[in-house]
Amino acid sequence: MFSFEFMRNAYTAGTLIAIVSGVMGVFVIARKMAFMTHTLSEIGFAGASFGMFAGWSPLNGMLLFTIVSSILVGRLSGTNESRRESVISAISGLFIGLGILFLALSDQSSSYATNILFGSVVGISRADVWQMSILSLAILLVVLLVYRNLKDASFDPTGARANGVAVNILGVVFLVLLALSVSVAAQIVGSLLIFILLTLPAASARYFAHSVSGMMLTAVGCALLGVWLGLYLGYLTNWPVTFFIAVIEAAIYGIALLVNHYQSQITE
C-alpha cells in the first residue's frame, strides 16, 4: 500500500488532520458549536467552488471563505447565542448561494465537485501535504500559545471574563482556527462531512477522560484510529474512505455511550 505515493500522502495528511481535529474538537464540544462546524463545512464547499472558478486550488478558496465567514460570525454575533444562530444561518445561506453560482460558472466537471464534497484520497499531492502541514502546525502552535485562556473561556466563560480574559476576542480567534481546521480536514473527508472528525472523536472522549488534556489525547486517538483504519479499508475495497471514517467514528461514539450507560448503572 505504501509503495503508492498517493497513499503515503494520504496517510501523512490524514495523521495531521486527525491531530488537529482531535485538539480543536474538544473546544468545539465545550463551546457547543457543532452547528457552526457543520456550517463552515458547507461554506468550505462554496470556497472550493470559488477556487475552481478563479483558477486557484480548492484549499485556498476554502481558506478564504471560511476565514471571512468565521470573522463575520464572531463580530456580528458577539456573546449572544440566540443571535449567533441567526447570523450563522444568514451567512451560511449567502455563501452556499455563492458556491452554487461559482460551481455553475466554472468549467470543471461534476466529478470534481463530488471530490470537494466527499474528499479524494487520490487527489492529494505532495504540495497539498506541505501546505496542510504548515497550516496544521500553525493551528497547533496558536492553540498552544492561547491554551490556558482558551480552555478557561471554553469551559468556564463567566469565570474567564471575571479574571480579565478577553472572551470576545478569543472567540473570534477560535473561530478563525476552526475555519482553518475545516479547510485542512476537508481534503480527506470532504467539505460535507468534516464535522465528523471535529465533533465525534471529542464527543466520545468526554466519556473516557476527565481532564481537558486527557480529552484531547483521547480525541486525537479516536480520530487517528478512524482515519488510519478508514484509509486502509478504502484501499482494500476501493470504497469511499469517508464512509469508513464515518462508520468507525460513529461506532466509537456508540461504544462510549454504552460504557457511560453501564457505568451510571453501576454507580446507582
Side-chain angles (χ1 to χ4, degrees), residues 147-192:
Y147 174 75
R148 184 170 182 177
N149 288 338
L150 183 60
K151 180 180 70 172
D152 293 342
S154 300
F155 289 88
D156 184 18
T158 303
R161 196 173 285 108
N163 290 329
V165 177
V167 175
N168 291 346
I169 296 176
L170 204 57
V172 175
V173 171
F174 171 75
L175 286 173
V176 172
L177 291 174
L178 183 60
L180 292 173
S181 303
V182 166
S183 299
V184 170
Q187 307 305 301
I188 286 287
V189 295
S191 62
L192 282 186

Side-chain angles (χ1 to χ4, degrees), residues 9 20 43 50 84-85 93 101 108 110 114 120 126 142 222 256:
N9 292 338
V20 170
I43 293 173
F50 174 74
R84 182 174 68 189
E85 291 188 4
L101 172 64
Q108 294 289 348
S110 59
T114 302
S120 175
R126 183 166 297 181
V142 174
C222 293

Side-chain angles (χ1 to χ4, degrees), residues 210 259-268:
H210 304 288
V259 170
N260 180 67
H261 174 70
Y262 285 117
Q263 285 179 342
S264 299
Q265 285 189 330
I266 292 173
T267 54
E268 291 176 0

Side-chain angles (χ1 to χ4, degrees), residues 9 12-13 32 64 67 70 89 114 128 135 182 195 222 230 244:
N9 292 338
T12 302
K32 300 178 181 178
L64 174 63
I67 290 174
S70 64
S89 298
T114 302
D128 293 330
L135 289 171
V182 166
F195 64 91
C222 293
F244 290 112

